[in-house]
């Protein structure tokens, strides 16, 4: 009851529209995919379900980035690391589910370990045959890394571009580490050839539709949590830190604790997004740690509207939709288009699509009712 | 009993006799032999200063005299190389950071008015009002009638009641100064450090600000750094003139402004 009030109390109109549309999608898309015959114009193709499911996990990642960047001013160029770690945790569970069905038919070891002549499971892999344990790791590994990283970074007051560079280095270092075969995470091939999840065939269309719905639900939950945080008094403090960090400190707030909290929550959200991403795309490899991925996430948030939450999710959807289309139509052109889009948004839509739309909507409202707003403004002069 | 800094020559014997870590004074703020250098430049040089409980003090001095650095030392932003900074008789401020010092009861207004521009005026005050300042305390805090009554009261004191719903960033320069003073009061500090409160204000606003500070000084200790001599005359309090990081002269405004050395370095002939 308290939790419900905490989560739902401060949802605005854009938030409700967002939640309702997602709720409809979570139900309608699987129905249109599974129950409507492929010939019908209402049928949603299998490809579309997979693609949209992927967008949902990207949207959750964008939400996580917006929480720290839009509201606390921490420009993370390494959130892909948390996403990938969550993905690896899920991937390790899925690998263990293959069991003796691998190419080498080893009862315990995944194929790549047999190939490397390993004889027993490394400690890091213990427990991953259990789904609850894997879920715990999905949240714990990114969360713990973020906590330790943030504890040092925020306590030593690393801010601004320096922090961004360190986050970039963090994800790059992880990428190099995961490329190594002796790390025991499949080297540059990563983890793939998944068979089933919780006993359900991961290739079956029903499982894929369920994964889509779960991704939507995760996005909705992520939005509710993020919205509850930013509209609470702690959220006001986060914005205060973003705009005048020293002032916040002199008011008696422990800035580093607020940053650490929101940073860790954000990393856990990114990890969950990664964990939902991997079973839908069927592979996780070290390229997910690549710095370019994290930077692309920043572009999604900037395009959609920094500091709006809904806008960040929208931006992730739109940019990736454009990417899917572009890479089909002009495969070489995508990076130029992405760069151009970022420049365009920075110059002409500094508040992003949603921020610009909200401003326009407000101004329209004010023009309509001039008598109500102008006298109220007078004493302000 | 209050120590009158004019009667007590610093360093005073009884204080000197006590070992440093156990320095106990009855003053609210006690600076003794404080020095700090930046890259060889001595910004503060053997500075000693005592503020009594309930006292209002004006600090003047030419640019580079160390006024702002002194505030940085008191509020924990800068650590002194040597010297004692004791608050409330026993707390060694050199061991604490900005947040801890703020929560002890020292509020600071910056030279450039610093408010949260993207928050409304009333939210600025609300965040400053003394309340739970932990992450989880603020995350789950509910609307508190008590806090908002205090916000209303403070908005009245700093005369921003009509502007409470505006974004702080939309206020005029003078209004921002007042909002920041309101935020300072909201913290309910024992000591207010106010850096150039009248900068960029019209004459009318300056007069009102002087009245406001005099009012505040009835219940708080206040240290005001200011260049505007008219403003200081209006405050009518004891004046300390800093020069090259140490105290040059101390006394009433008339005493200080007739001091030969003060005229030499600051007022000009």
């Amino acid at each position: 009851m308290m939790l419900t009030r905490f989560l739902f109390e401060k949802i605005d109109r854009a938030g409700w529209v967002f939640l309702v549309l997602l709720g409809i999608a979570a139900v309608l898309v699987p129905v249109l995919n599974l129950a409507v015959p492929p010939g019908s114009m209402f049928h949603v193709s299998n490809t579309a379900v997979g693609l949209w499911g992927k967008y949902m996990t990207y949207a959750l990642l964008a939400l996580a980035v917006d929480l720290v960047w839009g509201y606390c001013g921490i420009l993370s160029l390494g959130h892909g690391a948390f996403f990938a770690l969550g993905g690896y945790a899920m991937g390790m569970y899925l690998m263990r589910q293959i069991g003796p069905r691998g190419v080498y038919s080893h009862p315990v070891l995944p194929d790549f370990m047999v190939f490397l002549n390993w004889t027993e499971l490394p400690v890091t892999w213990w427990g991953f045959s259990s789904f609850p344990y894997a879920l715990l790791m999905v949240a714990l590994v990114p969360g713990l890394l973020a906590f330790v990283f943030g504890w040092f970074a925020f306590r030593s007051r690393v801010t601004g571009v320096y922090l961004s560079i360190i986050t970039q280095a963090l994800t790059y270092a992880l990428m190099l580490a995961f490329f190594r075969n002796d790390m025991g995470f499949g080297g540059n091939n990563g983890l793939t050839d998944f068979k089933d999840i919780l006993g359900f065939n991961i290739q079956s269309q029903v499982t894929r539709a369920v994964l889509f719905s779960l991704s939507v639900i995760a996005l909705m939950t992520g939005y509710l949590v993020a919205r509850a945080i930013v509209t609470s008094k702690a959220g006001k403090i986060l914005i205060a830190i973003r705009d005048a960090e020293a002032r916040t400190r002199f008011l008696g707030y422990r800035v580093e604790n607020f940053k650490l909290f929101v940073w860790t929550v954000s990393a856990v959200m990114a990890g969950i997004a990664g964990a939902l991403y991997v079973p839908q795309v069927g592979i996780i490899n070290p390229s997910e740690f690549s710095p370019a991925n994290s930077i692309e996430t920043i572009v999604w948030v900037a395009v959609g509207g920094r500091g709006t939450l809904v806008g960040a999710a929208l931006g992730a959807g739109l940019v990736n939709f454009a990417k899917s289309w572009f890479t089909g139509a002009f495969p070489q052109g995508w990076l130029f288009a992405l760069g151009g889009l970022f420049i365009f948004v920075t110059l002409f839509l500094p508040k992003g699509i949603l921020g610009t739309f909200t401003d326009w909507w407000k101004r329209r409202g004010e023009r309509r009712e001039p008598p109500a707003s102008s006298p109220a403004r007078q004493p302000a002069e | 009993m209050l120590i009158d800094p004019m009667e007590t020559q610093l360093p005073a014997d009884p204080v000197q006799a006590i070992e440093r870590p156990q320095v106990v004074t009855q003053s609210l703020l006690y600076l003794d032999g404080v020095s700090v250098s930046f890259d060889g430049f001595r910004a503060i040089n053997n500075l000693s200063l005592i503020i009594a409980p309930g006292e209002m003090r004006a600090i003047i001095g030419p640019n580079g005299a160390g006024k702002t650095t002194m505030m940085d030392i008191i509020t924990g932003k800068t650590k002194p190389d040597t010297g004692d900074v004791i608050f409330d008789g026993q707390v060694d401020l050199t061991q604490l950071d900005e947040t801890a010092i703020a929560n002890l009861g020292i509020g600071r207004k910056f030279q450039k008015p610093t408010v949260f521009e993207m928050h409304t005026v009333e939210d600025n005050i609300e965040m400053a009002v003394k309340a739970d300042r932990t992450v989880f305390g603020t995350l789950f805090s509910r609307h508190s009638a008590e806090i908002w009554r205090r916000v209303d009261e403070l908005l009245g004191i700093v005369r921003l009641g009509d502007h409470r719903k505006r974004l702080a960033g939309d206020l005029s320069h003078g209004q921002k100064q007042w909002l920041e003073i309101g935020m300072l009061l909201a913290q309910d500090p024992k000591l207010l450090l106010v850096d150039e409160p009248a900068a960029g204000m019209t004459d009318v606003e300056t007069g009102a600000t002087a009245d406001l500070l005099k009012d505040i000084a009835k219940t708080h200790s206040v240290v005001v750094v200011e260049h505007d001599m008219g403003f200081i005359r209006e405050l009518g309090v004891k004046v300390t003139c800093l020069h090259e990081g140490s105290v040059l002269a101390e006394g009433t405004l008339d005493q200080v402004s007739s001091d030969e050395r003060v005229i030499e370095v600051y007022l000009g002939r």
Side-chain angles (χ1 to χ4, degrees):
Chain A
M1 182 58 213
M2 264 223 11
L3 188 73
T4 330
R5 203 166 74 167
F6 178 67
L7 288 177
F8 286 92
E9 196 177 35
K10 300 265 182 60
I11 310 294
D12 59 356
R13 201 189 310 169
W16 282 119
V17 171
F18 180 66
L19 285 172
V20 168
L21 286 179
L22 283 179
I24 293 172
V27 178
L28 206 59
V29 169
V31 168
L32 294 182
N33 172 238
L34 299 170
V36 177
S40 159
M41 63 175 290
F42 293 110
H43 176 74
V44 173
S45 73
N46 295 351
T47 329
V49 173
L51 209 56
W52 294 351
K54 197 171 81 169
Y55 295 168
M56 293 299 162
T57 65
Y58 284 155
L60 183 57
L61 173 61
L63 210 63
V65 169
D66 195 27
L67 188 59
V68 288
W69 185 37
Y71 291 89
C72 198
I74 306 170
L75 173 57
S76 169
L77 296 179
H79 251 56
F82 305 125
F83 182 82
L85 285 172
Y88 264 96
M90 179 56 82
M92 286 159 80
Y93 163 78
L94 296 171
M95 286 306 270
R96 299 285 281 113
Q97 291 306 294
I98 298 172
R101 288 171 290 175
V103 178
Y104 297 109
S105 306
H106 193 286
V108 176
L109 296 187
D111 280 345
F112 75 88
M113 291 188 194
V114 180
F115 184 76
L116 292 170
N117 291 322
W118 291 10
T119 50
E120 53 187 50
L121 209 59
V123 187
T124 44
W125 282 73
W126 291 2
F128 272 99
S129 54
S130 146
F131 189 68
Y133 177 81
L135 280 194
L136 182 70
M137 289 300 126
V138 160
L140 200 65
V141 172
L144 203 66
L145 176 69
F147 186 86
V148 172
F149 177 90
W151 199 88
F152 285 109
F154 301 138
R155 207 148 292 253
S156 14
R157 302 198 181 169
V158 181
T159 52
V161 69
Y162 300 100
L163 188 86
S164 302
I165 290 169
I166 300 179
T167 56
Q168 181 98 98
L170 172 80
T171 194
Y172 191 68
L174 282 169
M175 179 176 77
L176 295 181
F178 274 74
F179 263 126
R180 295 164 56 94
N181 278 326
D182 50 10
M183 277 284 283
F185 298 109
N188 64 348
N189 296 316
L191 312 173
T192 185
D193 284 333
F194 308 135
K195 303 277 189 251
D196 43 36
I197 179 166
L198 284 172
F200 300 103
N201 181 1
I202 208 160
Q203 308 288 347
S204 92
Q205 203 45 46
V206 178
T207 312
R208 298 182 68 84
V210 170
L211 282 169
F212 168 85
S213 296
L214 285 175
S215 304
V216 178
I217 291 166
L219 177 58
M220 292 165 77
T221 313
Y223 172 75
L224 287 175
V225 170
R227 179 80 190 167
I229 291 174
V230 303
T231 52
S232 71
K233 187 169 175 185
K236 285 185 197 170
I237 309 299
L238 291 176
I239 294 173
I241 292 170
R242 179 191 72 189
D243 294 341
E245 184 170 330
R247 173 82 272 171
T248 320
R249 222 175 240 130
F250 284 113
L251 276 189
Y253 289 99
R254 287 240 156 260
V255 166
E256 56 272 26
N257 292 357
F258 281 86
K259 284 185 173 178
L260 189 57
F261 166 74
V262 76
W263 175 252
T264 308
V265 169
S266 168
V268 170
M269 276 168 67
I272 293 170
L276 284 160
Y277 169 82
V278 167
Q280 296 188 78
V281 299
I283 184 168
I284 173 84
N285 63 35
S287 69
E288 292 298 336
F289 286 105
S290 113
N293 284 18
S294 299
I295 293 169
E296 223 176 295
T297 312
I298 297 297
V299 180
W300 308 339
V301 178
V303 168
R306 180 186 168 202
T308 59
L309 296 180
V310 173
L314 191 75
L318 284 177
V319 176
N320 280 294
F321 180 76
K323 183 182 185 175
S324 300
W325 177 80
F326 231 100
T327 43
F330 316 95
Q332 294 87 6
W334 169 242
L335 279 180
F336 294 100
L338 185 70
L341 181 68
F342 189 51
I343 293 170
F344 175 82
V345 167
T346 312
L347 289 180
F348 300 106
L349 298 175
K351 290 180 170 178
I353 293 172
L354 196 80
T356 310
F357 177 78
T358 318
D359 280 1
W360 171 79
W361 187 263
K362 258 192 220 153
R363 256 182 287 125
R364 209 183 68 126
E366 272 167 28
R367 260 208 312 275
R368 260 201 205 157
E369 308 166 31
S373 55
S374 54
R377 295 230 152 179
Q378 226 113 63
E381 298 314 311
Chain B
M1 185 205 133
L2 306 187
I3 292 182
D4 184 354
M6 281 316 281
E7 287 171 9
T8 320
Q9 284 299 311
L10 272 180
D13 310 331
V15 177
Q16 195 88 69
I18 305 169
E19 283 295 306
R20 266 195 172 175
Q22 284 92 39
V23 177
V24 175
T25 76
Q26 278 142 317
S27 53
L28 184 67
L29 183 67
Y30 172 94
L31 274 73
D32 182 29
V34 176
S35 296
V36 67
S37 307
F38 302 118
D39 298 327
F41 170 70
R42 281 217 150 187
I44 296 287
N45 187 8
N46 198 21
L47 174 70
S48 299
L49 184 78
I50 283 187
I51 306 294
E55 188 189 350
M56 168 142 74
R57 177 76 62 91
I59 311 268
I60 59 171
N63 287 330
K67 305 183 296 287
T68 300
T69 309
M70 182 191 79
M71 293 216 171
D72 285 346
I73 289 173
I74 297 169
T75 52
K77 196 177 170 211
T78 303
K79 299 282 167 228
D81 300 334
T82 54
D84 293 319
V85 185
I86 310 287
F87 179 65
D88 215 2
Q90 67 238 357
V91 188
D92 183 358
L93 294 183
T94 59
Q95 301 303 313
L96 301 173
D97 70 355
E98 299 99 314
T99 309
I101 291 173
N103 287 324
L104 269 180
I106 299 183
R108 176 177 186 181
K109 197 200 85 61
F110 293 91
Q111 191 170 347
K112 179 175 171 284
T114 314
V115 293
F116 304 122
E117 310 227 326
M118 296 302 286
H119 281 305
T120 59
V121 170
E122 57 179 11
D123 279 353
N124 267 273
I125 301 273
E126 189 229 345
M127 281 190 282
V129 172
K130 213 172 186 178
D132 190 340
R133 272 164 163 51
T134 62
V135 174
F136 292 100
T138 51
L139 188 62
F140 297 108
S141 88
R142 312 293 314 170
H143 181 94
S144 151
E146 194 188 329
I147 287 179
W148 283 100
R149 256 199 308 279
R150 182 92 182 108
V151 172
D152 291 343
E153 189 188 330
L154 287 158
L155 284 173
I157 292 174
V158 296
R159 304 175 198 182
L160 290 171
D162 292 340
H163 306 284
R164 58 187 303 160
K165 297 287 181 195
R166 291 175 75 192
L167 287 184
D170 294 340
L171 295 180
S172 73
H173 188 83
Q175 287 169 328
K176 281 183 193 169
Q177 300 267 40
W178 280 53
L179 175 57
E180 202 178 2
I181 293 172
M183 289 163 75
L184 231 62
L185 285 176
Q187 289 175 259
D188 195 18
K190 291 178 184 155
L191 173 66
L192 284 85
L193 305 175
V194 189
D195 206 346
E196 302 203 10
M201 283 189 171
T202 63
D203 286 349
V204 179
E205 285 175 325
T206 305
T209 306
D211 290 341
L212 175 65
L213 283 178
K214 277 192 279 190
D215 231 30
I216 291 169
K218 286 176 190 157
T219 45
H220 301 79
S221 297
V222 185
V223 173
V224 187
V225 167
E226 196 36 86
H227 275 298
D228 185 333
M229 282 301 172
F231 182 78
I232 289 174
R233 188 164 294 284
E234 224 165 309
L235 292 180
V237 294
K238 186 191 293 174
V239 176
T240 298
C241 180
L242 295 189
H243 176 56
E244 289 176 352
S246 41
V247 175
L248 187 67
E250 208 164 67
T252 65
L253 182 59
D254 288 332
Q255 282 168 348
V256 170
S257 53
S258 57
D259 186 299
E260 281 295 319
R261 291 167 307 166
V262 173
I263 295 168
E264 182 88 28
V265 303
Y266 184 46
L267 299 174
R269 287 181 191 275

